[in-house]
RNA sequence: GUGGCCGUAGCUCAGUUGGUUAGAGCGCCAGGUUGUGGCCCUGGAGGUCGGGGGUUCAAGUCCCCUCGGUCACCCCA
């Protein structure tokens, strides 16, 4: 019947179909709840922007921007790009609309990066994130980090580790980078092949290098956290003590260098320890006090957090968290007298707030019963010749110990509710 | 962008040293059971063997190219 598919999802993209998509719904609902409870409102943003938003926002020192961005010219010859992450365009919207401060927002968005796909890495992935603009107080850093922790916990994930660092600011970072540059130049021969010649470009990257040579060469390297200016030092220690006070476990990690240029002061990253794959970052974020200004807005501090849905679900799989649930249908209507009764009854039951499906195409009772069984519904509502003549419906429980009963048409909704409630569904 | 491994039915796979009309299990549809799902039995639908080219009397099987998947590097969610 079918020839080989002419079209398929582009490399590195994913189709998420039911029933697997049910977990996406749960995940989104859980995130909306966590963020909403803390006063963060949903922001819906374009998936593409003038490319400058990302070049100036995320920065040209980031490979996500220089090598991986989907860029194009539209029919008006505007140079656009698909968003590679969420924060820069939320910042752009903040500048454009000037909402009152603090501006606390959350988002769910696809993100696009042209890379070779592998476990937990796609060309289109989906991010959940939240941002707080206009607050310099370290207490908001603690809020953002703890909301992330709370979200992981809400999903039932336990093997998530947290690393925290500070990137300093424009006062203390340049001096530190120079210090690191000198340190590295004295040990250049011990660095990995790539960084031996390129460490000058971005010395911070060497700290993050996974190769053994770089790791051992930087073991004794000066830490930025030890060279922060006084305001950054006070900020950083307030964040750490706040996490302590909330009982949030973390490890300080002076090697933690995140991929976007906009970070200042607090940066953090969550790793899913249950994932044995190379891509185990389950989320991360940090403070970006210079971002709004670099996009042409008023100097406004900010901090945010983002995570990738696909990767988070892999972590859930690895931990056995958030397993797929059944359909949750309350009833399945079977009609062997033409199908119109099913139309009327499903309509009534749905209006009564029940979740109800049915079969079409006038199939045999046996076939409809099979469909009812497969649907996961708790109860089959059967209309045959007898029921149609008598103005009743037969209710047959599909799980559990109830007896099959006949009820008047007007009482079907109530009877379905009764039958479904008593049987605890797994 | 670089490298390893892998592409046979919707899914998981078998297919001998190249040898007739390519198989199984699960799933799907129908029947056994003309008013009852799950278990069982029977039957059916479903494949241009990822695509293209080549070698050969003969290719799912060998060779080349290509597309896709997967894992790793790199980078990150």
């Amino acid at each position: 019947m079918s020839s080989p598919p002419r079209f398929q999802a582009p490399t590195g993209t994913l189709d998420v179909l039911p029933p697997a998509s049910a977990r996406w719904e749960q995940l989104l609902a859980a995130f909306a709840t966590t963020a909403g409870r803390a006063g963060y409102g949903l922001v819906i943003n374009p998936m593409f922007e003038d490319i400058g938003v990302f070049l100036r926002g995320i920065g040209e020192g980031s490979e996500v921007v220089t090598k991986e961005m989907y860029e194009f010219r539209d029919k008006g010859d505007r140079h656009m790009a698909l968003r590679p992450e969420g924060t820069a365009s939320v910042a752009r919207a903040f500048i454009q609309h000037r909402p009152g401060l603090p501006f606390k927002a959350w988002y769910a968005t696809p993100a696009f990066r042209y890379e070779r796909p592998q476990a937990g890495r796609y060309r289109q992935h989906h991010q959940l994130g939240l941002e707080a603009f206009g607050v310099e107080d370290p207490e908001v850093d603690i809020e953002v980090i703890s909301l992330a922790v709370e979200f992981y916990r809400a999903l039932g994930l336990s093997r998530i580790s947290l690393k925290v660092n500070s990137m300093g600011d424009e006062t203390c970072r340049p001096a530190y980078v120079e210090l690191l540059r000198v340190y590295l130049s004295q040990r250049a021969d011990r660095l990995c092949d790539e960084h031996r010649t390129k460490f000058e470009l971005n010395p911070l990257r060497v700290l993050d290098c996974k190769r053994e040579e770089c790791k051992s060469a930087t073991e004794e390297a000066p830490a930025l956290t030890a060279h922060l200016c006084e305001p950054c030092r006070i900020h950083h220690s307030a964040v750490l003590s706040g996490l302590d006070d909330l009982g949030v476990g973390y490890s300080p990690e002076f090697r933690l260098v995140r991929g976007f240029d906009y970070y200042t002061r607090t940066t953090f990253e969550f790793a899913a320890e249950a994932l044995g794959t190379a891509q185990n970052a389950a989320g991360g974020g940090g403070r970006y006090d210079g971002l709004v200004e670099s996009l042409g807005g008023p100097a406004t501090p900010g901090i945010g957090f983002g995570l990738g849905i696909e990767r988070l679900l892999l972590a859930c799989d690895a931990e056995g968290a958030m397993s797929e649930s059944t359909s949750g249908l309350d009833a399945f209507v079977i009609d062997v007298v033409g199908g119109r009764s099913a139309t009327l009854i499903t309509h009534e039951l749905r209006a009564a707030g029940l979740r109800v499906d049915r079969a079409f195409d006038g199939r045999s009772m046996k076939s409809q019963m099979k469909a009812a069984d497969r649907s996961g519904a708790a109860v089959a509502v059967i209309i045959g010749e007898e029921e149609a003549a008598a103005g009743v419906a037969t209710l047959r429980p599909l799980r559990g110990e109830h007896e099959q009963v006949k009820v008047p048409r007007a009482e079907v909704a109530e009877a379905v509710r009764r039958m479904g409630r008593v049987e605890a569904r797994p």
Side-chain angles (χ1 to χ4, degrees):
Chain A
M1 178 177 77
S2 60
S3 37
R6 232 185 307 271
F7 301 113
Q8 50 187 312
T11 297
T13 66
L14 229 45
D15 293 316
V16 185
L17 274 45
S21 54
R23 303 167 87 203
W24 285 62
E25 292 187 68
Q26 288 174 42
L27 206 69
L28 280 163
F31 195 80
T33 299
T34 302
R37 224 162 24 202
Y40 292 72
L42 174 64
V43 57
I44 296 169
N45 249 4
M47 291 193 313
F48 57 94
E49 298 273 356
D50 185 295
I51 194 169
V53 170
F54 306 118
L55 293 180
R56 294 174 59 189
I58 300 168
E60 308 195 34
S62 154
E63 297 206 352
V64 165
V65 163
T66 55
K67 290 167 60 177
E68 300 173 359
M69 205 149 58
Y70 276 89
E71 45 181 303
F72 63 98
R73 300 242 169 217
D74 70 10
K75 290 182 190 295
D77 203 36
R78 286 173 279 255
H79 197 179
M80 314 298 285
L82 263 33
R83 65 184 354 185
E85 57 97 47
T87 301
S89 27
V90 176
R92 190 231 82 223
F94 167 78
I95 294 164
Q96 183 173 339
H97 302 286
R98 302 290 179 94
L101 297 179
F103 176 57
K104 305 203 329 185
W106 72 274
Y107 60 83
T109 181
F112 305 87
R113 297 177 196 173
Y114 191 89
E115 320 173 73
R116 278 289 282 275
Q118 68 187 77
R121 191 175 77 182
Y122 305 95
R123 289 188 177 171
Q124 176 178 341
H125 74 282
H126 297 79
Q127 293 194 355
L128 295 171
L130 52 82
E131 318 284 352
F133 290 88
V135 184
E136 192 165 11
D137 193 336
E139 299 305 316
V140 81
D141 301 37
I142 299 162
E143 172 172 291
V144 166
I145 294 172
S146 67
L147 284 173
V149 169
E150 187 187 316
F151 176 63
Y152 293 127
R153 198 173 296 147
L155 299 182
L157 289 169
S158 55
R159 298 180 58 199
I160 301 285
S161 66
L162 168 61
K163 291 174 185 168
V164 182
N165 194 19
S166 174
M167 301 299 291
D169 62 11
E170 68 283 1
T171 304
C172 50
R173 183 159 35 172
Y176 168 75
V177 169
E178 192 46 42
L179 193 67
L180 182 62
R181 196 190 308 275
V182 170
Y183 176 91
L184 293 174
S185 68
Q186 289 163 354
R187 292 164 182 76
D189 54 319
R190 289 177 51 195
L191 300 178
C192 75
D193 293 345
E194 187 196 339
H195 285 124
R196 195 171 307 135
T197 51
K198 290 206 288 187
F199 72 91
E200 295 276 355
L201 283 175
N202 189 350
L204 289 170
R205 279 253 79 91
V206 181
L207 292 178
D208 206 32
C209 181
K210 284 181 207 146
R211 295 180 193 282
E212 280 310 317
E213 300 94 300
C214 285
K215 277 185 180 173
S216 79
T218 55
E219 231 158 42
E220 306 287 317
L224 177 46
T225 43
H227 295 270
L228 294 172
C229 59
E230 194 57 9
C232 284
R233 192 191 62 74
I234 291 169
H235 188 99
H236 188 55
S237 71
V239 171
L240 297 186
S241 71
L243 293 175
D244 290 337
D245 287 350
L246 280 177
V248 171
Y250 64 89
S251 58
E253 180 51 79
F254 80 93
R255 292 170 184 278
L256 175 60
V257 176
R258 297 196 33 89
F260 304 146
D261 293 355
Y262 54 56
Y263 287 117
T264 55
R265 293 191 170 171
T266 309
T267 55
F268 56 94
E269 202 166 278
F270 294 94
E273 302 297 338
L275 288 179
T277 52
Q279 318 297 327
N280 73 342
R287 183 165 274 283
Y288 41 78
D289 292 340
L291 175 60
V292 170
E293 215 173 350
S294 75
L295 287 174
T300 308
I303 179 166
F305 159 75
L307 62 86
I309 293 179
E310 290 85 349
R311 204 174 283 180
L312 196 60
L313 287 173
L314 290 177
C316 287
D317 291 340
E319 285 202 33
M322 238 181 55
S323 56
E324 285 183 28
S325 53
T326 54
S327 77
L329 281 184
D330 295 304
F332 193 98
V333 180
I334 288 164
D335 176 352
V336 289
V337 292
R340 180 56 50 82
S341 296
T343 302
L344 297 173
I345 293 175
T346 52
H347 183 79
E348 272 169 42
L349 296 182
R350 289 167 187 164
L354 293 165
R355 289 159 298 181
V356 185
D357 202 359
R358 58 167 294 183
F360 293 98
D361 292 333
R363 303 210 285 176
S364 70
M365 171 165 288
K366 174 171 177 160
S367 165
Q368 293 192 49
M369 281 298 294
K370 279 185 151 186
D373 187 46
R374 272 194 302 258
S375 77
V379 180
V381 176
I382 303 169
I383 304 294
E385 303 286 354
E386 275 176 39
E387 288 86 352
V392 300
T394 294
L395 266 60
R396 178 176 178 80
L398 295 171
R399 344 243 154 240
E401 302 299 320
H402 275 286
E403 292 297 314
Q404 177 169 321
V405 296
K406 280 191 163 64
V407 301
R409 278 283 303 271
E411 296 168 23
V412 171
E414 197 38 53
V416 165
R417 223 184 277 282
R418 215 178 306 123
M419 220 174 237
R421 187 161 27 226
V422 180
E423 297 308 327
R425 264 173 272 139

